[in-house]
Amino acid sequence: GQNIDQPTEMTATEGAIVQINCTYQTSGFNGLFWYQQHAGEAPTFLSYNVLDGLEEKGRFSSFLSRSKGYSYLLLKELQMKDSASYLCAVEDSNYQLIWGAGTKLIIKP
Amino acid sequence: SQTIHQWPATLVQPVGSPLSLECTVEGTSNPNLYWYRQAAGRGLQLLFYSVGIGQISSEVPQNLSASRPQDRQFILSSKKLLLSDSGFYLCAWRDGGRDTGELFFGEGSRLTVL
């Protein structure tokens, strides 16, 4: 079966750095997405990785290792507005997205 | 620029009543369209997707149905709602000219079935 695993909840301090991990087992791989979802709102796109390595975009970076079935999202200089759920999704061989349950990130002052 | 809208944002319906959620995309042609449901603590569950007018693929057998009467319109329906249909419903679109690419989501519709 297809499976995406990420921690249910994480807590971090304002101004700090946090890494949210995602491991996956899917039927094929055509890319990995990270989305941010604030409570009660729709998910918004953060990043897309299809090749191994680190993609940096401002305070957010995303890493992929296809051989390990592993990705992480790195958030730097945390702000209170970063409190949200972070969703990992893998595109399988049929170009359909398989979604993790999301990691709820709580930022404390 | 492209935009996506879905409505209504919130609805409370009795068991056995019908449902209609509507989604419209602007600023693009021939998008791939999707309906997802999100239950608390669960990942997004793909319900239906469409690659063109009248073309609907169902991922999960249930009492819901979808239709695409126009290129940029996607409708989710039910004739008789069940308690288990409660959840957060999300419409999304993706560039139909590519196999891959990010999904763009509508605002979401929160359905409570009582």
Side-chain angles (χ1 to χ4, degrees):
Chain A
Q2 309 206 85
N3 196 49
I4 310 287
D5 286 318
Q6 47 181 134
T8 304
E9 187 175 296
M10 299 181 71
T11 302
T13 304
E14 189 177 16
I17 299 173
V18 70
Q19 177 175 312
I20 302 174
N21 296 325
C22 171
T23 57
Y24 63 89
Q25 291 177 307
T26 57
S27 302
F29 178 87
N30 280 306
L32 186 144
F33 295 82
W34 283 97
Y35 278 77
Q36 181 190 60
Q37 185 178 25
H38 286 100
E41 298 181 8
T44 55
F45 170 77
L46 287 178
S47 68
Y48 171 65
N49 294 71
V50 65
L51 300 175
D52 290 350
L54 187 68
E55 295 277 345
E56 297 186 77
K57 191 183 294 185
R59 294 189 298 114
F60 293 6
S61 303
S62 56
F63 172 83
L64 174 67
S65 169
R66 288 173 295 172
S67 63
K68 296 181 179 179
Y70 168 70
S71 172
Y72 67 74
L73 181 69
L74 191 71
L75 292 73
K76 302 177 184 177
E77 301 170 15
L78 285 170
Q79 302 175 10
M80 297 304 292
K81 68 178 182 180
D82 297 329
S83 291
S85 288
Y86 292 85
L87 312 181
C88 174
V90 172
E91 195 168 43
D92 68 11
S93 56
N94 294 317
Y95 296 98
Q96 297 296 345
L97 288 177
I98 312 301
W99 294 84
T103 298
K104 182 178 180 181
L105 178 62
I106 299 168
I107 310 296
K108 295 186 175 181
Chain B
S1 63
Q2 302 90 354
T3 58
I4 178 170
H5 296 290
Q6 62 177 104
W7 64 93
T10 306
L11 63 167
V12 179
Q13 296 284 104
V15 169
S17 64
L19 171 73
S20 181
L21 301 179
E22 189 164 342
C23 174
T24 300
V25 181
E26 299 290 336
T28 188
S29 296
N30 196 32
N32 290 344
L33 296 172
Y34 304 81
W35 277 111
Y36 283 92
R37 178 168 59 202
Q38 186 177 36
R42 306 281 295 275
L44 290 173
Q45 180 187 33
L46 180 62
L47 302 176
F48 301 95
Y49 71 94
S50 171
V51 299
I53 296 174
Q55 300 179 61
I56 308 295
S57 296
S58 173
E59 293 296 305
V60 183
Q62 55 203 329
N63 67 321
L64 299 173
S65 62
S67 62
R68 184 170 178 174
Q70 300 180 42
D71 181 46
R72 290 170 291 180
Q73 184 185 27
F74 205 24
I75 298 171
L76 182 69
S77 304
S78 175
K79 293 182 179 178
K80 289 186 178 182
L81 284 168
L82 306 172
L83 285 175
S84 57
D85 292 324
S86 294
F88 191 48
Y89 289 81
L90 290 157
C91 180
W93 76 272
R94 189 164 168 174
D95 186 347
R98 304 162 55 195
D99 286 329
T100 187
E102 64 264 34
L103 281 175
F104 299 94
F105 288 90
E107 303 94 333
S109 300
R110 185 162 302 282
L111 170 66
T112 303
V113 183
L114 300 175

